Amino acid sequence: MKIAIDLMGGDKGISSNLKGAFMALDEFKDIEIALIGREEEIKRAMENSNYENERVEIINADEVIENNEEPAMAIRRKKDSSIVIGMRALKEGKVDAFVSSGSTGALLSGGILIVKRIKGIDRPAIGFIYPKVDGNGFLLDAGANSECKAKYLYQFAIMGSIFAESILKMESPKVGLINIGEEKEKGIELYKESYRLLEESKLNFIGNVEPRYIFKSKADILVCDGFTGNMILKTLEGTADFLFGNIKSVFKKSFKSKIAGLFVKDDLKEMGKTLSYNDYGGALLLGLSKPVIKAHGSSDYIAIKNAIRQAREVVKNDISQSIEKRLLGERNEN
């Protein structure tokens, strides 16, 4: 399979994105990589890296879509941008997946306008893996749709369940609805109606989940609107940064605490990995007809390598096709 990487996206620059791509090539022998960006800059960076591989293709893209640009307009105007060219290559079957740490809005707009949605899906959703006390969970939507209808949340639950079955290897994953309380009638009308749809579905729905129980919930899939999900995601990131920043300062306060820190250093590193987006790679744009992975804007080479790993798993398990088949089966039953 061939996976395209947007080298122009993110905060770390071409060299870091390249390093992640090369690490992925070394680790996964069944993939090829298409490097998308300004060809001359890529070639200069590759000279500095001293890396050559017959499984690498360079696709020139002269333009870059910046985070401050209006997404849909930028997609239409910047035809030679790395995001648009990557999306076209994906649509035309020249690559099997597309990974970018660029503008989230542009990726969503490009996905909808160029790659297109899966038949039966009204809105794509951003899904991210998060740590739990008993493994991993999957939350969506994490920012694609600030305003939702109940049927969107129901579709998010279907897509999340298929992702959990295929990628996280869960049998009959439990679905929870993020809400301000566990009671069935809690929340605004959107969540009351979403509860009714999920309760009547064939999904393994276990009810409402309060945000404070995210890490301890029995739910494997958590569903919410994109505004709420994005707030949760950024709160988790900020909490992790705050927590580990304070832990580090505690172990630097005195000679005694420095000695204590040496004994727990490795354990703290392992705990840090469970909360780091670098180890999860990226967020999947579920609902598009082909795989698009959104890596964090601050992704280093480790995160890029893991985003490519995630793209590879999604392609191998043909998530988009599985979602379409599930929706078709439901339509036939109805």
Side-chain angles (χ1 to χ4, degrees):
M1 74 181 73
K2 181 175 285 190
I3 299 172
I5 315 297
D6 173 14
L7 291 188
M8 311 309 293
D11 304 331
K12 303 294 184 183
I14 286 180
S15 296
S16 181
N17 291 337
L18 266 179
K19 186 174 181 179
F22 296 154
M23 286 180 69
L25 281 171
D26 289 337
E27 185 169 339
F28 309 115
K29 304 302 182 184
D30 59 346
I31 68 169
E32 297 178 7
I33 295 289
L35 305 172
I36 302 180
R38 295 188 180 108
E39 187 171 1
E40 292 305 315
E41 291 182 30
I42 295 171
K43 287 180 176 178
R44 282 198 298 271
M46 289 182 71
E47 284 177 5
N48 295 334
S49 69
N50 295 318
Y51 193 98
E52 292 183 11
N53 194 299
E54 60 185 13
R55 292 152 57 205
V56 175
E57 176 189 8
I58 298 175
I59 300 177
N60 185 56
D62 291 321
E63 296 179 297
V64 179
I65 294 177
E66 306 293 346
N67 287 324
N68 60 358
E69 296 184 72
E70 199 286 317
M73 188 176 294
I75 289 294
R76 291 186 174 97
R77 287 183 175 179
K78 291 189 169 181
K79 303 295 186 183
D80 291 324
S81 65
S82 53
I83 288 178
V84 170
I85 286 176
M87 292 289 186
R88 281 182 187 159
L90 185 60
K91 178 186 179 180
E92 295 167 3
K94 295 176 181 177
V95 298
D96 300 294
F98 180 51
V99 174
S100 174
S101 54
S103 163
T104 302
L107 283 170
L108 282 166
S109 295
I112 293 169
L113 294 171
I114 300 171
V115 178
K116 307 297 184 183
R117 290 168 291 165
I118 294 170
K119 189 175 181 181
I121 293 295
D122 291 282
R123 295 287 189 277
I126 297 175
F128 73 93
I129 300 170
Y130 67 93
K132 292 172 55 185
V133 293
D134 58 351
N136 288 322
F138 190 62
L139 186 149
L140 69 170
D141 177 22
N145 307 278
S146 294
E147 297 183 5
C148 285
K149 297 179 181 179
K151 68 175 181 178
Y152 300 169
L153 269 64
Y154 168 63
Q155 291 171 4
F156 298 165
I158 292 175
M159 294 191 293
S161 295
I162 291 171
F163 180 89
E165 291 166 359
S166 302
I167 303 299
L168 302 180
K169 307 304 179 186
M170 296 177 179
E171 290 186 17
S172 188
K174 300 179 181 68
V175 176
L177 180 65
I178 290 286
N179 209 328
I180 57 173
E182 294 182 353
E183 297 85 355
K184 181 176 180 178
E185 293 303 318
K186 281 283 188 178
I188 59 176
E189 189 57 37
L190 166 65
Y191 281 83
K192 293 176 185 178
E193 187 179 348
S194 298
Y195 192 107
R196 290 192 287 271
L197 281 179
L198 291 167
E199 189 176 38
E200 293 167 2
S201 74
K202 294 182 180 179
L203 296 166
N204 189 4
F205 179 58
I206 63 170
N208 288 329
V209 176
E210 293 184 41
R212 61 176 170 163
Y213 295 125
I214 284 175
F215 296 120
K216 297 190 293 184
S217 170
K218 293 180 180 179
D220 303 302
I221 313 299
L222 291 177
V223 178
C224 59
D225 64 88
F227 183 87
T228 301
N230 195 259
M231 293 286 281
I232 289 172
L233 172 61
K234 289 177 178 175
T235 300
L236 294 181
E237 290 177 350
T239 301
D241 288 342
F242 174 79
L243 176 64
F244 281 96
N246 276 272
I247 289 173
K248 285 180 181 178
S249 65
V250 166
F251 284 117
K252 291 178 180 178
K253 278 188 175 180
S254 66
F255 176 75
K256 184 167 61 176
S257 62
K258 287 178 181 177
I259 296 298
L262 291 175
F263 284 101
V264 297
K265 182 179 178 182
D266 291 341
D267 293 324
L268 287 173
K269 281 184 177 179
E270 285 302 311
M271 186 172 76
K273 286 182 179 180
T274 66
L275 296 171
S276 171
Y277 59 80
N278 284 346
D279 278 24
Y280 294 102
L284 176 63
L285 273 59
L286 278 167
L288 297 178
S289 61
K290 295 186 178 180
V292 175
I293 305 293
K294 168 65 176 81
H296 198 287
S298 299
S299 292
D300 62 12
Y301 61 91
I302 298 293
I304 294 298
K305 187 266 290 186
N306 285 322
I308 295 170
R309 170 186 53 76
Q310 190 179 74
R312 172 178 174 268
E313 288 298 314
V314 171
V315 172
K316 284 175 64 179
N317 287 279
D318 204 356
I319 300 297
S320 298
Q321 185 67 23
S322 298
I323 292 170
E324 191 166 1
K325 283 181 179 178
R326 176 79 67 88
L327 291 170
L328 179 62
E330 291 198 0
R331 287 197 296 271
N332 289 339
E333 286 179 11
N334 294 332

